[in-house]
Amino acid sequence: MPKVTFFNLPEDKRATLILSLKKEFSRVPLYDASISNIVKAAGIPRGSFYQYFEDKEDAFFFILNDFVACINHQFFTLIKKYNGDLFDTMQEFFQIIIEEEENVHFFRNAFLNMTYRIESTFSRIFKEHETNNNLKVLSSLLNTSILNFSSEEELNHLLQIISAVTFRNIVEKFAKELPNEEALRRYRLELTLLKSGLVRHLERESRGTS
Amino acid sequence: MPKVTFFNLPEDKRATLILSLKKEFSRVPLYDASISNIVKAAGIPRGSFYQYFEDKEDAFFFILNDFVACINHQFFTLIKKYNGDLFDTMQEFFQIIIEEEENVHFFRNAFLNMTYRIESTFSRIFKEHETNNNLKVLSSLLNTSILNFSSEEELNHLLQIISAVTFRNIVEKFAKELPNEEALRRYRLELTLLKSGLVRHLERESRGTS
DNA sequence: ATAATATATGACAAGGTGTCATAAGTCAAT
DNA sequence: ATTGACTTATGACACCTTGTCATATATTAT
């Protein structure tokens, strides 16, 4: 967390600094980012940076948390839009992320360099966490009648699976610079597989039985 | 790839250097590793390091590739052992990785700091790649009759899903320092969900219907 | 006006990386 | 054996980064 001094900063100075942070973390991933660049861009002396943040990581996760909070909000909006259908929700969720334009480079760097802490920040959306109550809230918003779980633990795992697959698809999209269309097609294919299950059930469906 | 000079090194000198690399990359993740530490431990001058490797990354991936080749081999042995049952194979595969003792710290650092390049190196096991022919070979070894796919592309996605979920479980095990038993229990639960599918199919099973 | 507190500043120590001129080996051919 | 061509070894060095700290400057309360 940034220090109080940061939050006491006059609006415009803070805004400039935040912009400089986003700029640097969009240029390169966290570990290649340089505080020198940030302070140069923000026009503040180096010492000041350390009045505001513990270190580079602190600043990075301040920005990331903000993005994630925003994404989190969008996610919940989508669930309502799709009447609790998790799969329709995820599909548009995926689309929103890969079509995001303003902060593509920031996201690209974050996804291609997913340390556990970064992953953990993102998957907070799908998990119970001190800062939120998402599992409970999700549980109430989801159309659970179509989902294959029989306990809260299973629901949790189900969501972990979905988020892992989703993240992997986003990473692949960025890494291989897939066109949005193609990325979406592949993601849909995986969602379909996830829904129907990875083992063949003859009595249920005809896919692949002929 | 290390430079030729590295491969021309006398056996024992190369072995010492490799040990020093493993030691440093076990101590801290790639981006915190220090070449100074490595050369100090190996007892070679700093300049020599650059005769052998392009840089830190080069050395890291040389070591990682070696580990992955070994894991890859174990994976194929398991498939044969389980007569092509992908799920039984994955279960023991998971177990082998989390129970590995000699190089826990190396793996821990690699999994908790999964850049795309690291992930990509690991998932080479489940993917077609210049250096291997795994999709084709897998295809022939797997008991595909129990798997729910109807094209090579679908099989590929099926494997991507399994590997994403597997990696996520390994990461969680390391991050939360779960006991092996607990990690395995959770992984099994997710495998079960994956097999039966995330949506409920009343006519097929009784889980969660009562 | 004064003291107490909060913020700003940039020089600096410590440590990291990659390079390069130079030294030292190795080997083949005369 | 000596020469020359080539490969390998070496550590000082330039350059860059980070985080700290003594000092200067605001700000606020009394």
Side-chain angles (χ1 to χ4, degrees), chain A residues 112 116 146 148 153-154 157 185 190 194 197-198 200-201 204 207, chain B residues 112 116 146 148 153-154 157 185 190 194 196-198 200-201 204 207:
Chain A
L112 293 185
Y116 175 67
I146 60 165
N148 180 26
E153 190 192 12
E154 282 191 13
H157 281 286
R185 192 186 66 80
E190 294 197 8
L194 279 179
L198 304 189
R200 181 174 285 175
H201 299 95
R204 191 174 81 230
R207 348 182 26 251
Chain B
L112 293 186
Y116 176 67
I146 60 164
N148 181 27
E153 190 190 13
E154 281 191 13
H157 281 284
R185 191 186 67 79
E190 294 197 7
L194 280 178
S196 57
L198 304 189
R200 180 174 285 175
H201 299 97
R204 191 174 81 229
R207 338 179 41 245

PDB file of all heavy atoms in Angstrom, chain A residues 112 116 146 148 153-154 157 185 190 194 197-198 200-201 204 207, chain B residues 112 116 146 148 153-154 157 185 190 194 196-198 200-201 204 207:
ATOM      1  N   LEU A 112       1.846 -11.600 -19.270  1.00  0.00           N
ATOM      2  CA  LEU A 112       3.001 -12.378 -19.748  1.00  0.00           C
ATOM      3  C   LEU A 112       4.055 -12.555 -18.656  1.00  0.00           C
ATOM      4  O   LEU A 112       5.035 -13.261 -18.845  1.00  0.00           O
ATOM      5  CB  LEU A 112       3.621 -11.728 -20.985  1.00  0.00           C
ATOM      6  CG  LEU A 112       2.736 -11.735 -22.239  1.00  0.00           C
ATOM      7  CD1 LEU A 112       3.495 -11.189 -23.429  1.00  0.00           C
ATOM      8  CD2 LEU A 112       2.236 -13.149 -22.533  1.00  0.00           C
ATOM      9  N   TYR A 116       3.084 -15.160  -8.910  1.00  0.00           N
ATOM     10  CA  TYR A 116       1.967 -15.616  -8.092  1.00  0.00           C
ATOM     11  C   TYR A 116       1.195 -14.430  -7.540  1.00  0.00           C
ATOM     12  O   TYR A 116      -0.026 -14.436  -7.477  1.00  0.00           O
ATOM     13  CB  TYR A 116       2.462 -16.483  -6.928  1.00  0.00           C
ATOM     14  CG  TYR A 116       1.340 -16.856  -6.005  1.00  0.00           C
ATOM     15  CD1 TYR A 116       0.319 -17.696  -6.435  1.00  0.00           C
ATOM     16  CD2 TYR A 116       1.267 -16.345  -4.706  1.00  0.00           C
ATOM     17  CE1 TYR A 116      -0.739 -18.024  -5.610  1.00  0.00           C
ATOM     18  CE2 TYR A 116       0.207 -16.673  -3.870  1.00  0.00           C
ATOM     19  CZ  TYR A 116      -0.787 -17.511  -4.331  1.00  0.00           C
ATOM     20  OH  TYR A 116      -1.836 -17.832  -3.513  1.00  0.00           O
ATOM     21  N   ILE A 146     -27.534 -24.776 -13.115  1.00  0.00           N
ATOM     22  CA  ILE A 146     -26.895 -25.399 -14.280  1.00  0.00           C
ATOM     23  C   ILE A 146     -25.475 -25.857 -13.968  1.00  0.00           C
ATOM     24  O   ILE A 146     -24.812 -26.453 -14.810  1.00  0.00           O
ATOM     25  CB  ILE A 146     -26.854 -24.442 -15.502  1.00  0.00           C
ATOM     26  CG1 ILE A 146     -26.063 -23.171 -15.175  1.00  0.00           C
ATOM     27  CG2 ILE A 146     -28.242 -24.093 -15.984  1.00  0.00           C
ATOM     28  CD1 ILE A 146     -25.670 -22.375 -16.401  1.00  0.00           C
ATOM     29  N   ASN A 148     -22.424 -27.927 -11.985  1.00  0.00           N
ATOM     30  CA  ASN A 148     -22.207 -29.266 -11.465  1.00  0.00           C
ATOM     31  C   ASN A 148     -21.387 -29.240 -10.166  1.00  0.00           C
ATOM     32  O   ASN A 148     -20.233 -29.622 -10.154  1.00  0.00           O
ATOM     33  CB  ASN A 148     -21.479 -30.075 -12.541  1.00  0.00           C
ATOM     34  CG  ASN A 148     -21.207 -31.486 -12.118  1.00  0.00           C
ATOM     35  OD1 ASN A 148     -21.918 -32.047 -11.278  1.00  0.00           O
ATOM     36  ND2 ASN A 148     -20.158 -32.062 -12.683  1.00  0.00           N
ATOM     37  N   GLU A 153     -17.132 -25.851  -1.438  1.00  0.00           N
ATOM     38  CA  GLU A 153     -15.761 -26.152  -1.852  1.00  0.00           C
ATOM     39  C   GLU A 153     -15.710 -26.481  -3.342  1.00  0.00           C
ATOM     40  O   GLU A 153     -14.824 -26.011  -4.054  1.00  0.00           O
ATOM     41  CB  GLU A 153     -15.181 -27.316  -1.043  1.00  0.00           C
ATOM     42  CG  GLU A 153     -13.682 -27.481  -1.286  1.00  0.00           C
ATOM     43  CD  GLU A 153     -13.107 -28.771  -0.737  1.00  0.00           C
ATOM     44  OE1 GLU A 153     -13.871 -29.667  -0.349  1.00  0.00           O
ATOM     45  OE2 GLU A 153     -11.865 -28.875  -0.706  1.00  0.00           O
ATOM     46  N   GLU A 154     -16.679 -27.253  -3.785  1.00  0.00           N
ATOM     47  CA  GLU A 154     -16.686 -27.605  -5.206  1.00  0.00           C
ATOM     48  C   GLU A 154     -16.937 -26.395  -6.090  1.00  0.00           C
ATOM     49  O   GLU A 154     -16.327 -26.256  -7.151  1.00  0.00           O
ATOM     50  CB  GLU A 154     -17.725 -28.698  -5.482  1.00  0.00           C
ATOM     51  CG  GLU A 154     -17.237 -30.077  -5.076  1.00  0.00           C
ATOM     52  CD  GLU A 154     -18.135 -31.191  -5.582  1.00  0.00           C
ATOM     53  OE1 GLU A 154     -19.000 -30.935  -6.455  1.00  0.00           O
ATOM     54  OE2 GLU A 154     -17.973 -32.324  -5.112  1.00  0.00           O
ATOM     55  N   HIS A 157     -13.711 -24.612  -6.445  1.00  0.00           N
ATOM     56  CA  HIS A 157     -12.811 -25.263  -7.401  1.00  0.00           C
ATOM     57  C   HIS A 157     -13.275 -25.048  -8.837  1.00  0.00           C
ATOM     58  O   HIS A 157     -12.467 -24.833  -9.738  1.00  0.00           O
ATOM     59  CB  HIS A 157     -12.700 -26.756  -7.095  1.00  0.00           C
ATOM     60  CG  HIS A 157     -11.768 -27.043  -5.965  1.00  0.00           C
ATOM     61  ND1 HIS A 157     -10.400 -26.967  -6.090  1.00  0.00           N
ATOM     62  CD2 HIS A 157     -12.002 -27.372  -4.671  1.00  0.00           C
ATOM     63  CE1 HIS A 157      -9.837 -27.254  -4.932  1.00  0.00           C
ATOM     64  NE2 HIS A 157     -10.776 -27.501  -4.042  1.00  0.00           N
ATOM     65  N   ARG A 185     -12.550 -17.507 -30.504  1.00  0.00           N
ATOM     66  CA  ARG A 185     -12.951 -18.828 -31.013  1.00  0.00           C
ATOM     67  C   ARG A 185     -12.331 -19.936 -30.167  1.00  0.00           C
ATOM     68  O   ARG A 185     -12.989 -20.874 -29.741  1.00  0.00           O
ATOM     69  CB  ARG A 185     -12.505 -18.978 -32.474  1.00  0.00           C
ATOM     70  CG  ARG A 185     -13.100 -20.174 -33.203  1.00  0.00           C
ATOM     71  CD  ARG A 185     -12.502 -20.353 -34.590  1.00  0.00           C
ATOM     72  NE  ARG A 185     -11.088 -20.695 -34.564  1.00  0.00           N
ATOM     73  CZ  ARG A 185     -10.622 -21.926 -34.328  1.00  0.00           C
ATOM     74  NH1 ARG A 185     -11.452 -22.918 -34.089  1.00  0.00           N
ATOM     75  NH2 ARG A 185      -9.317 -22.153 -34.307  1.00  0.00           N
ATOM     76  N   GLU A 190     -12.738 -24.029 -25.665  1.00  0.00           N
ATOM     77  CA  GLU A 190     -12.351 -24.579 -24.365  1.00  0.00           C
ATOM     78  C   GLU A 190     -13.508 -24.521 -23.379  1.00  0.00           C
ATOM     79  O   GLU A 190     -13.694 -25.437 -22.570  1.00  0.00           O
ATOM     80  CB  GLU A 190     -11.099 -23.856 -23.832  1.00  0.00           C
ATOM     81  CG  GLU A 190      -9.881 -24.131 -24.711  1.00  0.00           C
ATOM     82  CD  GLU A 190      -8.536 -23.804 -24.077  1.00  0.00           C
ATOM     83  OE1 GLU A 190      -8.488 -23.482 -22.874  1.00  0.00           O
ATOM     84  OE2 GLU A 190      -7.516 -23.875 -24.800  1.00  0.00           O
ATOM     85  N   LEU A 194     -15.043 -27.596 -21.346  1.00  0.00           N
ATOM     86  CA  LEU A 194     -15.188 -27.535 -19.893  1.00  0.00           C
ATOM     87  C   LEU A 194     -16.615 -27.878 -19.475  1.00  0.00           C
ATOM     88  O   LEU A 194     -16.830 -28.614 -18.519  1.00  0.00           O
ATOM     89  CB  LEU A 194     -14.849 -26.135 -19.373  1.00  0.00           C
ATOM     90  CG  LEU A 194     -13.377 -25.795 -19.194  1.00  0.00           C
ATOM     91  CD1 LEU A 194     -13.224 -24.366 -18.706  1.00  0.00           C
ATOM     92  CD2 LEU A 194     -12.723 -26.765 -18.204  1.00  0.00           C
ATOM     93  N   GLY A 197     -17.355 -31.588 -20.245  1.00  0.00           N
ATOM     94  CA  GLY A 197     -16.472 -32.534 -19.567  1.00  0.00           C
ATOM     95  C   GLY A 197     -15.445 -33.102 -20.512  1.00  0.00           C
ATOM     96  O   GLY A 197     -15.666 -33.183 -21.718  1.00  0.00           O
ATOM     97  N   LEU A 198     -14.310 -33.484 -19.945  1.00  0.00           N
ATOM     98  CA  LEU A 198     -13.222 -33.948 -20.798  1.00  0.00           C
ATOM     99  C   LEU A 198     -13.339 -35.422 -21.155  1.00  0.00           C
ATOM    100  O   LEU A 198     -12.667 -35.895 -22.053  1.00  0.00           O
ATOM    101  CB  LEU A 198     -11.870 -33.679 -20.128  1.00  0.00           C
ATOM    102  CG  LEU A 198     -11.590 -32.222 -19.724  1.00  0.00           C
ATOM    103  CD1 LEU A 198     -10.148 -32.065 -19.287  1.00  0.00           C
ATOM    104  CD2 LEU A 198     -11.898 -31.248 -20.857  1.00  0.00           C
ATOM    105  N   ARG A 200     -15.639 -38.674 -22.467  1.00  0.00           N
ATOM    106  CA  ARG A 200     -16.748 -38.897 -23.394  1.00  0.00           C
ATOM    107  C   ARG A 200     -17.904 -39.580 -22.670  1.00  0.00           C
ATOM    108  O   ARG A 200     -17.706 -40.532 -21.931  1.00  0.00           O
ATOM    109  CB  ARG A 200     -16.231 -39.774 -24.544  1.00  0.00           C
ATOM    110  CG  ARG A 200     -17.237 -40.085 -25.600  1.00  0.00           C
ATOM    111  CD  ARG A 200     -16.585 -40.829 -26.730  1.00  0.00           C
ATOM    112  NE  ARG A 200     -15.777 -39.950 -27.568  1.00  0.00           N
ATOM    113  CZ  ARG A 200     -15.033 -40.388 -28.575  1.00  0.00           C
ATOM    114  NH1 ARG A 200     -14.982 -41.680 -28.833  1.00  0.00           N
ATOM    115  NH2 ARG A 200     -14.338 -39.548 -29.293  1.00  0.00           N
ATOM    116  N   HIS A 201     -19.081 -39.038 -22.852  1.00  0.00           N
ATOM    117  CA  HIS A 201     -20.273 -39.666 -22.273  1.00  0.00           C
ATOM    118  C   HIS A 201     -21.240 -39.954 -23.403  1.00  0.00           C
ATOM    119  O   HIS A 201     -21.998 -39.099 -23.818  1.00  0.00           O
ATOM    120  CB  HIS A 201     -20.936 -38.733 -21.267  1.00  0.00           C
ATOM    121  CG  HIS A 201     -20.053 -38.386 -20.122  1.00  0.00           C
ATOM    122  ND1 HIS A 201     -19.290 -37.249 -20.070  1.00  0.00           N
ATOM    123  CD2 HIS A 201     -19.783 -39.052 -18.982  1.00  0.00           C
ATOM    124  CE1 HIS A 201     -18.599 -37.216 -18.942  1.00  0.00           C
ATOM    125  NE2 HIS A 201     -18.872 -38.292 -18.270  1.00  0.00           N
ATOM    126  N   ARG A 204     -24.982 -38.990 -23.718  1.00  0.00           N
ATOM    127  CA  ARG A 204     -25.421 -37.610 -23.600  1.00  0.00           C
ATOM    128  C   ARG A 204     -25.361 -36.830 -24.897  1.00  0.00           C
ATOM    129  O   ARG A 204     -26.176 -36.004 -25.198  1.00  0.00           O
ATOM    130  CB  ARG A 204     -24.581 -36.900 -22.542  1.00  0.00           C
ATOM    131  CG  ARG A 204     -25.149 -35.541 -22.165  1.00  0.00           C
ATOM    132  CD  ARG A 204     -24.381 -34.928 -21.014  1.00  0.00           C
ATOM    133  NE  ARG A 204     -23.159 -34.297 -21.438  1.00  0.00           N
ATOM    134  CZ  ARG A 204     -21.990 -34.497 -20.894  1.00  0.00           C
ATOM    135  NH1 ARG A 204     -21.851 -35.341 -19.892  1.00  0.00           N
ATOM    136  NH2 ARG A 204     -20.929 -33.889 -21.342  1.00  0.00           N
ATOM    137  N   ARG A 207     -21.229 -35.649 -30.089  1.00  0.00           N
ATOM    138  CA  ARG A 207     -19.950 -35.146 -30.554  1.00  0.00           C
ATOM    139  C   ARG A 207     -18.895 -36.260 -30.515  1.00  0.00           C
ATOM    140  O   ARG A 207     -18.649 -36.841 -29.491  1.00  0.00           O
ATOM    141  CB  ARG A 207     -19.372 -33.978 -29.742  1.00  0.00           C
ATOM    142  CG  ARG A 207     -20.255 -33.341 -28.804  1.00  0.00           C
ATOM    143  CD  ARG A 207     -19.654 -32.150 -28.050  1.00  0.00           C
ATOM    144  NE  ARG A 207     -18.581 -31.419 -28.677  1.00  0.00           N
ATOM    145  CZ  ARG A 207     -17.330 -31.474 -28.236  1.00  0.00           C
ATOM    146  NH1 ARG A 207     -16.985 -32.219 -27.235  1.00  0.00           N
ATOM    147  NH2 ARG A 207     -16.410 -30.754 -28.829  1.00  0.00           N
TER     148      ARG A 207
ATOM    149  N   LEU B 112       6.235 -20.029  -8.947  1.00  0.00           N
ATOM    150  CA  LEU B 112       5.673 -18.815  -8.353  1.00  0.00           C
ATOM    151  C   LEU B 112       6.025 -17.576  -9.164  1.00  0.00           C
ATOM    152  O   LEU B 112       5.564 -16.476  -8.872  1.00  0.00           O
ATOM    153  CB  LEU B 112       6.136 -18.651  -6.901  1.00  0.00           C
ATOM    154  CG  LEU B 112       5.608 -19.705  -5.922  1.00  0.00           C
ATOM    155  CD1 LEU B 112       6.009 -19.377  -4.495  1.00  0.00           C
ATOM    156  CD2 LEU B 112       4.092 -19.830  -6.025  1.00  0.00           C
ATOM    157  N   TYR B 116       5.696 -15.954 -19.164  1.00  0.00           N
ATOM    158  CA  TYR B 116       5.212 -16.725 -20.301  1.00  0.00           C
ATOM    159  C   TYR B 116       6.281 -17.693 -20.787  1.00  0.00           C
ATOM    160  O   TYR B 116       5.988 -18.831 -21.141  1.00  0.00           O
ATOM    161  CB  TYR B 116       4.786 -15.808 -21.442  1.00  0.00           C
ATOM    162  CG  TYR B 116       4.386 -16.587 -22.661  1.00  0.00           C
ATOM    163  CD1 TYR B 116       3.251 -17.388 -22.646  1.00  0.00           C
ATOM    164  CD2 TYR B 116       5.153 -16.564 -23.812  1.00  0.00           C
ATOM    165  CE1 TYR B 116       2.879 -18.131 -23.745  1.00  0.00           C
ATOM    166  CE2 TYR B 116       4.790 -17.304 -24.930  1.00  0.00           C
ATOM    167  CZ  TYR B 116       3.656 -18.089 -24.889  1.00  0.00           C
ATOM    168  OH  TYR B 116       3.304 -18.822 -25.974  1.00  0.00           O
ATOM    169  N   ILE B 146     -11.762 -42.729 -24.271  1.00  0.00           N
ATOM    170  CA  ILE B 146     -12.463 -42.169 -23.116  1.00  0.00           C
ATOM    171  C   ILE B 146     -12.474 -40.649 -23.153  1.00  0.00           C
ATOM    172  O   ILE B 146     -13.073 -40.007 -22.302  1.00  0.00           O
ATOM    173  CB  ILE B 146     -11.853 -42.626 -21.770  1.00  0.00           C
ATOM    174  CG1 ILE B 146     -10.379 -42.195 -21.651  1.00  0.00           C
ATOM    175  CG2 ILE B 146     -11.960 -44.131 -21.592  1.00  0.00           C
ATOM    176  CD1 ILE B 146      -9.834 -42.273 -20.233  1.00  0.00           C
ATOM    177  N   ASN B 148     -13.205 -36.803 -24.690  1.00  0.00           N
ATOM    178  CA  ASN B 148     -14.283 -36.120 -25.379  1.00  0.00           C
ATOM    179  C   ASN B 148     -13.769 -35.120 -26.413  1.00  0.00           C
ATOM    180  O   ASN B 148     -13.881 -33.919 -26.221  1.00  0.00           O
ATOM    181  CB  ASN B 148     -15.140 -35.403 -24.323  1.00  0.00           C
ATOM    182  CG  ASN B 148     -16.305 -34.675 -24.921  1.00  0.00           C
ATOM    183  OD1 ASN B 148     -16.802 -35.041 -25.980  1.00  0.00           O
ATOM    184  ND2 ASN B 148     -16.733 -33.619 -24.238  1.00  0.00           N
ATOM    185  N   GLU B 153      -7.451 -30.510 -33.113  1.00  0.00           N
ATOM    186  CA  GLU B 153      -7.500 -29.212 -32.435  1.00  0.00           C
ATOM    187  C   GLU B 153      -8.154 -29.345 -31.066  1.00  0.00           C
ATOM    188  O   GLU B 153      -7.677 -28.782 -30.080  1.00  0.00           O
ATOM    189  CB  GLU B 153      -8.260 -28.177 -33.278  1.00  0.00           C
ATOM    190  CG  GLU B 153      -8.114 -26.770 -32.698  1.00  0.00           C
ATOM    191  CD  GLU B 153      -9.046 -25.749 -33.347  1.00  0.00           C
ATOM    192  OE1 GLU B 153      -9.976 -26.148 -34.059  1.00  0.00           O
ATOM    193  OE2 GLU B 153      -8.835 -24.550 -33.096  1.00  0.00           O
ATOM    194  N   GLU B 154      -9.221 -30.116 -31.005  1.00  0.00           N
ATOM    195  CA  GLU B 154      -9.890 -30.281 -29.717  1.00  0.00           C
ATOM    196  C   GLU B 154      -9.020 -31.023 -28.714  1.00  0.00           C
ATOM    197  O   GLU B 154      -9.000 -30.680 -27.534  1.00  0.00           O
ATOM    198  CB  GLU B 154     -11.233 -30.997 -29.900  1.00  0.00           C
ATOM    199  CG  GLU B 154     -12.310 -30.061 -30.410  1.00  0.00           C
ATOM    200  CD  GLU B 154     -13.702 -30.667 -30.350  1.00  0.00           C
ATOM    201  OE1 GLU B 154     -13.878 -31.717 -29.686  1.00  0.00           O
ATOM    202  OE2 GLU B 154     -14.607 -30.100 -30.953  1.00  0.00           O
ATOM    203  N   HIS B 157      -6.667 -28.574 -27.283  1.00  0.00           N
ATOM    204  CA  HIS B 157      -7.291 -27.713 -26.274  1.00  0.00           C
ATOM    205  C   HIS B 157      -7.546 -28.464 -24.978  1.00  0.00           C
ATOM    206  O   HIS B 157      -7.360 -27.932 -23.885  1.00  0.00           O
ATOM    207  CB  HIS B 157      -8.586 -27.119 -26.813  1.00  0.00           C
ATOM    208  CG  HIS B 157      -8.362 -25.963 -27.722  1.00  0.00           C
ATOM    209  ND1 HIS B 157      -8.009 -24.716 -27.261  1.00  0.00           N
ATOM    210  CD2 HIS B 157      -8.400 -25.852 -29.067  1.00  0.00           C
ATOM    211  CE1 HIS B 157      -7.865 -23.898 -28.288  1.00  0.00           C
ATOM    212  NE2 HIS B 157      -8.085 -24.563 -29.405  1.00  0.00           N
ATOM    213  N   ARG B 185      -5.505 -33.942  -2.765  1.00  0.00           N
ATOM    214  CA  ARG B 185      -6.960 -34.029  -2.617  1.00  0.00           C
ATOM    215  C   ARG B 185      -7.643 -32.968  -3.474  1.00  0.00           C
ATOM    216  O   ARG B 185      -8.575 -33.244  -4.210  1.00  0.00           O
ATOM    217  CB  ARG B 185      -7.352 -33.829  -1.148  1.00  0.00           C
ATOM    218  CG  ARG B 185      -8.806 -34.166  -0.824  1.00  0.00           C
ATOM    219  CD  ARG B 185      -9.145 -33.805   0.612  1.00  0.00           C
ATOM    220  NE  ARG B 185      -9.115 -32.363   0.848  1.00  0.00           N
ATOM    221  CZ  ARG B 185     -10.083 -31.521   0.508  1.00  0.00           C
ATOM    222  NH1 ARG B 185     -11.168 -31.965  -0.097  1.00  0.00           N
ATOM    223  NH2 ARG B 185      -9.975 -30.225   0.765  1.00  0.00           N
ATOM    224  N   GLU B 190     -10.504 -31.337  -8.617  1.00  0.00           N
ATOM    225  CA  GLU B 190     -10.611 -30.576  -9.866  1.00  0.00           C
ATOM    226  C   GLU B 190     -10.607 -31.495 -11.075  1.00  0.00           C
ATOM    227  O   GLU B 190     -11.319 -31.253 -12.057  1.00  0.00           O
ATOM    228  CB  GLU B 190      -9.508 -29.510  -9.942  1.00  0.00           C
ATOM    229  CG  GLU B 190      -9.686 -28.447  -8.859  1.00  0.00           C
ATOM    230  CD  GLU B 190      -8.904 -27.157  -9.080  1.00  0.00           C
ATOM    231  OE1 GLU B 190      -8.284 -26.978 -10.148  1.00  0.00           O
ATOM    232  OE2 GLU B 190      -8.922 -26.316  -8.153  1.00  0.00           O
ATOM    233  N   LEU B 194     -13.375 -31.680 -13.938  1.00  0.00           N
ATOM    234  CA  LEU B 194     -13.003 -31.575 -15.348  1.00  0.00           C
ATOM    235  C   LEU B 194     -13.578 -32.749 -16.140  1.00  0.00           C
ATOM    236  O   LEU B 194     -14.098 -32.563 -17.247  1.00  0.00           O
ATOM    237  CB  LEU B 194     -11.485 -31.564 -15.508  1.00  0.00           C
ATOM    238  CG  LEU B 194     -10.757 -30.244 -15.256  1.00  0.00           C
ATOM    239  CD1 LEU B 194      -9.265 -30.432 -15.421  1.00  0.00           C
ATOM    240  CD2 LEU B 194     -11.270 -29.178 -16.227  1.00  0.00           C
ATOM    241  N   SER B 196     -16.165 -34.776 -15.461  1.00  0.00           N
ATOM    242  CA  SER B 196     -17.621 -34.848 -15.603  1.00  0.00           C
ATOM    243  C   SER B 196     -18.199 -33.593 -16.234  1.00  0.00           C
ATOM    244  O   SER B 196     -19.340 -33.608 -16.705  1.00  0.00           O
ATOM    245  CB  SER B 196     -18.270 -35.112 -14.253  1.00  0.00           C
ATOM    246  OG  SER B 196     -17.914 -34.120 -13.339  1.00  0.00           O
ATOM    247  N   GLY B 197     -17.441 -32.530 -16.250  1.00  0.00           N
ATOM    248  CA  GLY B 197     -17.936 -31.303 -16.872  1.00  0.00           C
ATOM    249  C   GLY B 197     -18.449 -30.337 -15.824  1.00  0.00           C
ATOM    250  O   GLY B 197     -18.876 -30.733 -14.742  1.00  0.00           O
ATOM    251  N   LEU B 198     -18.415 -29.053 -16.168  1.00  0.00           N
ATOM    252  CA  LEU B 198     -18.790 -28.055 -15.178  1.00  0.00           C
ATOM    253  C   LEU B 198     -20.295 -27.809 -15.136  1.00  0.00           C
ATOM    254  O   LEU B 198     -20.785 -27.191 -14.202  1.00  0.00           O
ATOM    255  CB  LEU B 198     -18.045 -26.739 -15.441  1.00  0.00           C
ATOM    256  CG  LEU B 198     -16.512 -26.822 -15.491  1.00  0.00           C
ATOM    257  CD1 LEU B 198     -15.918 -25.432 -15.539  1.00  0.00           C
ATOM    258  CD2 LEU B 198     -15.950 -27.582 -14.300  1.00  0.00           C
ATOM    259  N   ARG B 200     -24.206 -29.268 -14.997  1.00  0.00           N
ATOM    260  CA  ARG B 200     -24.899 -30.415 -14.422  1.00  0.00           C
ATOM    261  C   ARG B 200     -25.640 -31.163 -15.528  1.00  0.00           C
ATOM    262  O   ARG B 200     -26.315 -30.572 -16.362  1.00  0.00           O
ATOM    263  CB  ARG B 200     -25.879 -29.894 -13.374  1.00  0.00           C
ATOM    264  CG  ARG B 200     -26.677 -30.960 -12.674  1.00  0.00           C
ATOM    265  CD  ARG B 200     -27.486 -30.330 -11.570  1.00  0.00           C
ATOM    266  NE  ARG B 200     -26.668 -29.990 -10.423  1.00  0.00           N
ATOM    267  CZ  ARG B 200     -27.128 -29.338  -9.367  1.00  0.00           C
ATOM    268  NH1 ARG B 200     -28.371 -28.919  -9.341  1.00  0.00           N
ATOM    269  NH2 ARG B 200     -26.329 -29.076  -8.353  1.00  0.00           N
ATOM    270  N   HIS B 201     -25.485 -32.481 -15.521  1.00  0.00           N
ATOM    271  CA  HIS B 201     -26.216 -33.320 -16.482  1.00  0.00           C
ATOM    272  C   HIS B 201     -26.999 -34.340 -15.702  1.00  0.00           C
ATOM    273  O   HIS B 201     -26.472 -35.375 -15.325  1.00  0.00           O
ATOM    274  CB  HIS B 201     -25.237 -34.023 -17.423  1.00  0.00           C
ATOM    275  CG  HIS B 201     -24.424 -33.087 -18.237  1.00  0.00           C
ATOM    276  ND1 HIS B 201     -23.151 -32.707 -17.892  1.00  0.00           N
ATOM    277  CD2 HIS B 201     -24.708 -32.423 -19.377  1.00  0.00           C
ATOM    278  CE1 HIS B 201     -22.671 -31.861 -18.801  1.00  0.00           C
ATOM    279  NE2 HIS B 201     -23.602 -31.668 -19.705  1.00  0.00           N
ATOM    280  N   ARG B 204     -27.073 -38.176 -16.158  1.00  0.00           N
ATOM    281  CA  ARG B 204     -25.851 -38.961 -16.150  1.00  0.00           C
ATOM    282  C   ARG B 204     -25.408 -39.373 -14.758  1.00  0.00           C
ATOM    283  O   ARG B 204     -24.867 -40.424 -14.539  1.00  0.00           O
ATOM    284  CB  ARG B 204     -24.744 -38.181 -16.830  1.00  0.00           C
ATOM    285  CG  ARG B 204     -23.519 -39.033 -17.096  1.00  0.00           C
ATOM    286  CD  ARG B 204     -22.486 -38.277 -17.902  1.00  0.00           C
ATOM    287  NE  ARG B 204     -21.690 -37.393 -17.086  1.00  0.00           N
ATOM    288  CZ  ARG B 204     -21.456 -36.120 -17.361  1.00  0.00           C
ATOM    289  NH1 ARG B 204     -21.988 -35.565 -18.422  1.00  0.00           N
ATOM    290  NH2 ARG B 204     -20.710 -35.385 -16.570  1.00  0.00           N
ATOM    291  N   ARG B 207     -24.515 -36.794  -8.591  1.00  0.00           N
ATOM    292  CA  ARG B 207     -23.832 -35.795  -7.767  1.00  0.00           C
ATOM    293  C   ARG B 207     -24.644 -34.499  -7.759  1.00  0.00           C
ATOM    294  O   ARG B 207     -24.912 -33.915  -8.768  1.00  0.00           O
ATOM    295  CB  ARG B 207     -22.431 -35.418  -8.247  1.00  0.00           C
ATOM    296  CG  ARG B 207     -21.739 -36.384  -9.098  1.00  0.00           C
ATOM    297  CD  ARG B 207     -20.344 -35.909  -9.568  1.00  0.00           C
ATOM    298  NE  ARG B 207     -19.541 -35.240  -8.570  1.00  0.00           N
ATOM    299  CZ  ARG B 207     -19.182 -33.968  -8.660  1.00  0.00           C
ATOM    300  NH1 ARG B 207     -19.591 -33.229  -9.637  1.00  0.00           N
ATOM    301  NH2 ARG B 207     -18.428 -33.432  -7.730  1.00  0.00           N
TER     302      ARG B 207
END
